[in-house]
Amino acid sequence: MNDPRLPPEDRVLSPFTGWTRAHWEAVADHWLLTARRHASPGGGLITPPGRPSAAGIRSDGIEGFARSFLTAAPLLAGRLDDPHDHAGWYARGLAAAMAPDGPDRWGRAIGVDEIRQWNGTPQPIVEAANLAFGLAVCRAQVWDRLDEKLREQTAEWLAHHAAKHGSDNNWLLFTAVIEAFLRSAGYEVPGGHAQEDVDLFESWYLGDGWFNDGPVSPTTRHGNRVDHYNSWVIHPFLWQWYQLSEQPAERRERYLGRLGQFADSYALLFAADGSPLFQGRSLTYRQAVLGGLWTAALAGVGSEAAGARRRLASGVLRRFTVDSGVGGGGAAPSLGWGAAEFLPMCQVYSGPGSPYFAGMGFLGLAAPADHPLWTEAEEPQPSERGDCVRTLHGVGWVIRSGDGVVQIANHASDHVVDPDTGSGDPHYASIGSSTHTAPGVGDAWTAGVDGQVALVDEWGRATRREGLRGTATGEGWAASWYRPRMGGVDVPGARVVSVSVLHQGIELRAHLVTAPPGWTVREGSFAVAGATEPVVEGTSVRGDEVAVRLVPLHGWTGSGIARFHGANALGEHSAAPYLTAEPVPGLPTVYVSAHWLGRSAPAGPVPVTIPVTVAVTGECLVATWGDGRRDEFVLGELFG
C-alpha cells in the first residue's frame, strides 16, 4: 500500500474539499500500515529511518509506537469494523513492550529532577501519556480486551511515569492524564500528583481560551510561550483529564467554556487552502494542529457548525497529504513540514517517530459515522467568509485573514526561558508569522533579517528580538518593547518599542528605536520561499504561492533584499525585503513601514496600494486610513 487508496470525491456533501469520512479512514489506515513496516519483529518498537533524537534510538522506538497509536485509537473507537486488525496488532505490540525480558521491553523514564543523579531520559513520560490518552479513547476496543496480566503490566509501567515530575509546561498534563486513566480503570497511583499539576497549569490561563505553556516571570515577563501546543497537547489532554476525573461541575463548565473560546479563535489561523500558521516549535507534528478543534467538536462546544469544522480539518489533511505528499510513497512522515526532511526546523527532542504525533489530528474519527461532523454538508471556514482582523488580547496577537493568507502580529510570545542567556528561537522571535511564510533558520537566523527589527553593528552582526518586556493591545493593534540583545547580552542604551496595526489588508509597523553610536537600524519583512528563486522588484518579492511588498513610510532611508539557500522550511530559495536607516545616537527615533502579504500574482508587479498616510511628530504617530479610521500612538508613553 504505497499510497492511500482514496475513494471518489463527494462534492455534494463536501463542496469545498470533496473529502468525506472515507477519505480520513483511508489516510489513517495507510499511515498505520506504513508504520508497521518500521516495527521490530515483536511490534513493540516502531523506528522509521531518520536522525535519532537526543533521548536515544530506544526511546525513539517507544515514541513511534505510542504516537502512531494516536491515529489508531480514534479510528478504532469510531469505526464499526477493523479490517486491518489494528486493535490486535497494537495489543500484540504492547505485549512485546511489557514482556520483562523481551527484546522490545520498554525502558522507564526518570523525572527531570533525577537527571543529574541517574542515567536516563524523561522522554518516555510523554509516550506513556500518549499511550494512556489513546487507551482512554479506544478503551472498549483495546484496553478491555487485553488479558489481565497484560493490563497489570501496562498499568504498572504507566503508574511509574504518572508519579514522575516532568517539565513545568504541558508535561504536567501528561502525568495528569496517565494518573486519571489509571484511576478510571481501577488502579491506584502511589505518589500521584495530578490534581495539583492541573491546578498549576490552569493558573497560566491567558484569555480567549489560550494558555501560556509554562510560568511567566512576574518581574521580567520572560517565559511567554504561546503556540500550537494549545491545540495539539493542552486542550486535548485537559479535555481528557476532565473526561476521566471527578471534578466539580462549575470547574468542568469553566473549562468547557474556555475550550469553546479557543476553538473559535484558533479556527481563524487556517488559510482557505488548508495551510496552518507556521509558528512555534514541534512543527513536524503537522496536522496535529487539528487536535484542539476536534476536541471542541467532540465536547460539543464552540460556535462553528459541524460542516465548517470538517471543511477546515479536511482542508488541512488534504494540504499535507495530497498537496505536500506527507506520508506518501510508502514513507513514514519525515522530520519536516512538507514531504521532505528539513532538520533545521526541528528540535533535538524530535526523532524519527516524533512526526507520528500528527495522529492527534485524526481525533475526530472518534465521532461515529452518523455524527454531524461527518453527515452535515461542508460550510465555509472562517478565512473564507471575508477579510477580518481580531485581537487576542490575552495572547498579545493580532490576527488578519485576507488575500488568501492568514497572518499574525506577535507582541508577546518569545519563548525565552532564561533571560541571562536568551537563547531565542526564530519560530517565536518574528514580529509577524503567517500560513504561507516561514522564518529563516541557519544562516538566515544568524543574519537576523526577516521578521526582525535589529540593530546592526559595524561588523554586520545583528541583534535579536527576544525577551519581550511588555505588551499592550487594542482593537486591531498590539505593541511590545524590548532591549535588543547580542549573544544574550543587552546592547547598552538600546531600546525598541514596536506597534503593529492590521487594517485594510496591510500591517502598519512603527518602531521607536534608541541606538548607541555606530549602529544601523534594520527592519525585515516576511521571507518568501519556494523551489525556485523568488522574483524581486524593488522591495516586492514574489514566490510560487505568496508575495510580499514592503513600503517605507517614515524614517527609513535605505532598502535591500536578503537571499538565502537551504534556510527555509518552505523552499530551497528564500528572499526577504528589508529597510535600513542610520539613527541619531541616543535619540529615540520613529520608523514606520507598511507590509502587504498575499497570494502571488502569476506575473507582473505585486498588486497592492497602501491605504494609509502617516504623520510623525516627535514620538507621536498618527495614521489615517482610507476608510476614515484614525490611530494615534505616543510610542514613548506606551510602556512608560
Side-chain angles (χ1 to χ4, degrees):
M1 193 175 184
N2 291 329
D3 287 293
R5 297 191 179 103
L6 296 177
E9 292 185 354
D10 185 340
R11 290 288 172 174
V12 175
L13 181 63
S14 303
F16 291 88
T17 69
W19 277 34
T20 65
R21 181 186 176 90
H23 292 79
W24 280 81
E25 291 182 354
V27 174
D29 280 330
H30 174 68
W31 278 44
L32 292 169
L33 294 175
T34 299
R36 295 187 192 183
R37 298 180 180 180
H38 305 292
S40 58
L45 301 169
I46 295 178
T47 315
R51 182 204 69 182
S53 74
I57 195 68
R58 189 77 177 183
S59 175
D60 294 342
I62 301 174
E63 185 174 69
F65 182 98
R67 296 189 178 202
S68 62
F69 185 57
L70 290 174
T71 298
L75 179 65
L76 291 168
R79 190 160 68 177
L80 295 177
D81 60 352
D82 184 13
H84 300 290
D85 191 28
H86 295 311
W89 194 90
Y90 276 93
R92 291 188 291 275
L94 190 60
M98 295 299 135
D101 300 317
D104 287 3
R105 181 183 62 84
W106 285 5
R108 301 188 176 213
I110 61 174
V112 294
D113 52 346
E114 301 172 300
I115 291 177
R116 293 182 179 178
Q117 288 82 17
W118 306 99
N119 182 36
T121 174
Q123 184 61 39
I125 294 173
V126 182
E127 311 324 321
N130 292 329
L131 178 64
F133 187 100
L135 289 171
V137 170
C138 65
R139 184 186 301 235
Q141 293 78 16
V142 176
W143 178 258
D144 292 346
R145 298 182 182 181
L146 300 178
D147 63 58
E148 184 175 352
K149 178 182 178 181
L150 181 53
R151 280 201 301 269
E152 291 287 342
Q153 290 174 322
T154 305
E156 196 272 334
W157 186 84
L158 290 172
H160 167 86
H161 295 86
K164 295 299 177 182
H165 286 274
S167 302
D168 282 340
N169 54 19
N170 61 85
W171 280 45
L172 298 179
L173 304 179
F174 293 144
T175 51
V177 164
I178 301 169
E179 180 178 333
F181 171 72
L182 288 173
R183 292 191 185 281
S184 73
Y187 294 90
E188 293 299 317
V189 183
H193 41 81
Q195 187 70 57
E196 63 190 76
D197 287 350
V198 175
D199 291 346
L200 175 59
F201 192 91
E202 291 194 322
S203 73
W204 300 329
Y205 182 67
L206 297 171
D208 295 302
W210 292 70
F211 290 85
N212 196 60
D213 193 15
V216 177
S217 166
T219 54
T220 66
R221 291 186 54 83
H222 290 302
N224 289 291
R225 285 163 281 179
V226 182
D227 52 33
H228 288 298
Y229 268 90
N230 271 270
S231 190
W232 52 46
V233 169
I234 293 171
H235 277 293
F237 276 80
L238 275 175
W239 167 73
Q240 192 68 271
W241 156 260
Y242 280 102
Q243 291 273 101
L244 297 170
S245 66
E246 294 292 332
Q247 298 296 318
E250 62 273 15
R251 177 168 178 165
R252 188 181 306 273
E253 289 304 311
R254 182 187 69 179
Y255 169 67
L256 289 175
R258 290 174 172 178
L259 174 59
Q261 286 182 296
F262 171 76
D264 287 348
S265 63
Y266 189 68
L268 299 172
L269 296 174
F270 296 83
D273 69 354
S275 297
L277 183 72
F278 197 100
Q279 182 270 343
R281 70 196 192 283
S282 302
L283 290 169
T284 194
Y285 298 166
R286 297 181 177 93
Q287 68 257 25
V289 292
L290 299 172
L293 297 177
W294 283 131
T295 298
L298 295 174
V301 297
S303 64
E304 290 294 320
R309 296 180 198 240
R310 187 178 80 256
R311 183 271 172 275
L312 189 158
S314 293
V316 171
L317 185 61
R318 181 170 182 151
R319 175 70 167 170
F320 280 118
T321 56
V322 175
D323 297 346
S324 298
V326 176
S334 66
L335 284 167
W337 184 249
E341 182 179 78
F342 188 72
L343 294 178
M345 63 167 272
C346 298
Q347 289 69 42
V348 296
Y349 56 74
S350 294
S354 296
Y356 278 120
F357 194 79
M360 190 63 77
F362 290 94
L363 186 58
L365 286 171
D370 60 355
H371 191 283
L373 278 169
W374 303 112
T375 61
E376 289 189 6
E378 285 184 345
E379 299 181 25
Q381 68 183 54
S383 63
E384 293 171 309
R385 301 172 196 161
D387 294 2
C388 77
V389 173
R390 178 175 172 184
T391 303
L392 302 183
H393 297 279
V395 179
W397 287 1
V398 184
I399 304 171
R400 175 226 164 205
S401 64
D403 298 307
V405 303
V406 176
Q407 67 184 94
I408 66 166
N410 167 33
H411 286 272
S413 186
D414 59 17
H415 204 260
V416 174
V417 180
D418 186 348
D420 294 325
T421 60
S423 56
D425 186 328
H427 299 90
Y428 296 89
S430 295
I431 196 170
S433 300
S434 86
T435 52
H436 288 77
T437 61
V441 295
D443 291 344
W445 170 235
T446 301
V449 180
D450 67 274
Q452 300 293 309
V453 182
L455 299 182
V456 183
D457 69 9
E458 62 179 314
W459 309 105
R461 299 173 300 182
T463 63
R464 288 181 175 173
R465 180 180 182 261
E466 59 186 33
L468 301 180
R469 305 195 181 197
T471 299
T473 58
E475 182 183 352
W477 66 268
S480 58
W481 81 275
Y482 65 100
R483 296 196 181 281
R485 298 164 68 83
M486 184 177 288
V489 178
D490 292 349
V491 174
R495 186 174 190 261
V496 176
V497 176
S498 298
V499 177
S500 295
V501 185
L502 280 72
H503 189 59
Q504 286 196 284
I506 69 165
E507 179 184 357
L508 182 74
R509 293 183 190 170
H511 312 284
L512 179 66
V513 180
T514 306
W519 296 74
T520 299
V521 182
R522 184 179 67 201
E523 176 186 42
S525 193
F526 299 91
V528 174
T532 59
E533 287 278 4
V535 177
V536 172
E537 192 171 313
T539 52
S540 296
V541 180
R542 185 177 67 249
D544 298 334
E545 287 196 331
V546 71
V548 63
R549 183 182 180 194
L550 174 59
V551 179
L553 298 179
H554 180 84
W556 300 108
T557 57
S559 64
I561 301 291
R563 295 180 180 270
F564 296 95
H565 298 280
N568 196 288
L570 301 188
E572 172 65 21
H573 305 276
S574 59
Y578 63 85
L579 304 172
T580 60
E582 302 298 328
V584 178
L587 179 66
T589 306
V590 175
Y591 304 90
V592 189
S593 59
H595 302 247
W596 176 86
L597 177 69
R599 296 306 297 269
S600 179
V606 176
V608 63
T609 57
I610 304 301
V612 64
T613 59
V614 300
V616 176
T617 305
E619 297 180 0
C620 178
L621 164 68
V622 176
T624 304
W625 298 85
D627 62 357
R629 170 171 169 160
R630 185 176 184 273
D631 289 295
E632 182 174 343
F633 302 95
V634 181
L635 299 176
E637 296 179 4
L638 278 172
F639 300 102

